[in-house]
Amino acid sequence: TINITSVVEALSFTVVLMVASIPLAIEIVTTTTLALGSKELSKHGAIVTRLSAIEDMAGMAILCSDKTGTLTLNKMELQPECPVYCKDE
């Protein structure tokens, strides 16, 4: 009988053989792997899947965030004073 573990091992071995035998296969394997990884990340909401969200971010001049408060309190807070740093100062 064929079980899932042997199928996964066979596929992994096939990928290794492709990469080792054909240098052009590296590009195909990398592209496929990144596409599958991106699909998984988008399922979990870890990457942007809407183009409008990227356009909104591109239009921002300054984005200040504190990941500590976001992760622990699940909310973002604005400071009363926000220092701005410039290259010339």
Side-chain angles (χ1 to χ4, degrees):
T1 62
I2 299 174
N3 59 17
I4 298 297
T5 306
S6 62
V7 172
V8 170
E9 287 178 5
L11 286 174
S12 297
F13 185 69
T14 303
V15 169
V16 169
L17 281 178
M18 284 177 52
V19 172
S21 63
I22 307 169
L24 294 176
I26 293 172
E27 182 180 342
I28 296 167
V29 170
T30 303
T31 303
T32 305
T33 304
L34 290 173
L36 292 173
S38 297
K39 186 176 178 182
E40 282 296 315
L41 287 173
S42 67
K43 284 181 185 177
H44 296 289
I47 61 172
V48 176
T49 55
R50 294 179 299 122
L51 184 59
S52 62
I54 296 171
E55 290 172 349
D56 290 343
M57 289 293 291
M60 290 185 185
I62 297 175
L63 174 65
C64 301
S65 66
D66 174 22
K67 67 179 183 177
T68 305
T70 306
L71 293 175
T72 57
L73 303 175
N74 197 22
K75 64 179 180 177
M76 295 184 96
E77 296 180 4
L78 294 177
Q79 297 175 341
E81 296 178 17
C82 186
V84 178
Y85 299 100
C86 299
K87 288 184 178 180
D88 298 333
E89 292 183 5

